[in-house]
């Protein structure tokens, strides 16, 4: 009940739905901008299938069609945490249709200072969007920033090949602290 939730949605029409959905929850704040690797403005491509909208152009395996492109403000996790005086992020959930690596790079200071406990995100393997980083680069970046893979969830297939999955990672220090407090580490 005391959790603070910050939810970002760059698409104007989808944001209105998010705002209405979250309005009964006083601890949920909504923000009508994107999250990325720099504080800037970027063209956001709104798809008629809203769950396919992205800052990245659609690739061969994307569905739906782009109906509008809107320039939207983008903020980094580091800037947002400083602006909102957020000391620690217990769970960072990112589902940004291929833009997740940019989100993580924008939280480099938070990661370096071990101020994010868990990361849950959609890892895309296929050509769903143009300009996707190779999945191993994304995982390498996170493991180089003190995260360990907990597990992969719900693989989805296209053309009988895995296309995307969800992955949960935990900061090694966060894990060690929680396990030690629970008395689960053998000495």
């Amino acid at each position: 009940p005391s959790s603070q939730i910050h939810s970002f949605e760059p698409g104007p029409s989808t944001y209105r739905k998010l705002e209405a959905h979250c309005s009964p929850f006083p601890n949920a704040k909504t923000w009508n901008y994107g999250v990325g690797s720099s504080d800037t403005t970027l063209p956001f491509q709104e798809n008629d299938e809203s769950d396919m909208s992205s800052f990245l152009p659609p690739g061969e395996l994307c569905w739906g069609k782009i109906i509008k492109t809107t320039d939207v403000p983008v903020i980094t996790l580091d800037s947002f945490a400083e602006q909102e005086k957020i000391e620690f992020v217990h769970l960072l959930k990112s589902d940004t249709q291929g833009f997740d690596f940019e989100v993580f790079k924008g939280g480099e200071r938070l990661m370096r200072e071990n101020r994010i406990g868990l990361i849950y995100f959609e890892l895309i393997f296929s050509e769903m969007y143009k300009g996707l980083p190779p999945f191993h680069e994304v995982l390498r970046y996170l493991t180089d920033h003190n995260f360990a893979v907990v597990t992969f969830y719900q693989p989805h297939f296209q053309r009988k090949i895995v296309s995307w999955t969800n992955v949960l990672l935990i900061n090694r220090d966060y894990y060690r602290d929680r396990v030690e407090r629970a008395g689960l580490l053998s000495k």
Side-chain angles (χ1 to χ4, degrees):
S2 63
S3 297
Q4 285 291 317
I5 298 170
H6 295 276
S7 189
F8 300 86
E9 174 54 52
S13 57
T14 305
Y15 175 75
R16 286 189 291 279
K17 292 176 188 175
L18 172 69
E19 188 177 39
H21 179 76
C22 291
S23 65
F25 307 103
N27 292 351
K29 294 183 180 180
T30 60
W31 306 92
N32 189 199
Y33 41 86
V35 180
S37 60
S38 62
D39 297 330
T40 189
T41 299
L42 291 173
F44 184 71
Q45 299 176 55
E46 295 184 70
N47 194 307
D48 64 351
E49 299 283 340
S50 65
D51 60 342
M52 298 305 292
S53 297
S54 179
F55 287 109
L56 299 176
E60 177 186 340
L61 295 176
C62 189
W63 57 88
K65 66 179 185 226
I66 302 302
I67 54 173
K68 182 167 75 170
T69 300
T70 306
D71 287 339
V72 298
V74 174
I75 193 168
T76 67
L77 290 172
D78 288 339
S79 293
F80 184 78
E82 185 175 329
Q83 169 187 304
E84 294 298 311
K85 297 178 179 26
I86 297 170
E87 289 301 315
F88 192 83
V89 177
H90 290 276
L91 172 64
L92 171 62
K93 181 192 182 289
S94 179
D95 187 353
T96 57
Q97 299 313 109
F99 207 65
D100 306 275
F101 194 24
E102 296 303 307
V103 170
F104 303 146
K105 289 190 284 186
E108 197 277 333
R109 184 177 67 243
L110 287 168
M111 289 186 200
R112 185 174 16 90
E113 295 173 358
N114 292 309
R115 292 174 48 204
I116 300 175
L118 297 156
I119 295 176
Y120 182 79
F121 76 105
E122 183 180 76
L123 181 61
I124 300 174
F125 302 100
S126 70
E127 290 295 322
M128 198 173 295
Y129 299 95
K130 294 176 183 170
L132 279 171
F135 69 91
H136 63 274
E137 284 184 23
V138 178
L139 291 176
R140 169 64 65 188
Y141 183 85
L142 294 171
T143 57
D144 285 350
H145 283 82
N146 204 30
F147 284 86
V149 173
V150 175
T151 194
F152 296 91
Y153 300 94
Q154 305 164 321
H156 297 271
F157 295 82
Q158 290 178 300
R159 300 180 183 169
K160 300 189 184 223
I161 296 174
V162 70
S163 184
W164 74 92
T165 190
N166 293 304
V167 59
L168 176 66
L169 295 100
I170 191 165
N171 176 282
R172 288 177 177 92
D173 290 353
Y174 181 80
Y175 174 77
R176 196 173 303 110
D177 179 54
R178 297 304 183 271
V179 170
E180 284 176 1
R181 266 200 258 155
L184 300 174
L185 276 182
S186 59
K187 305 228 182 221

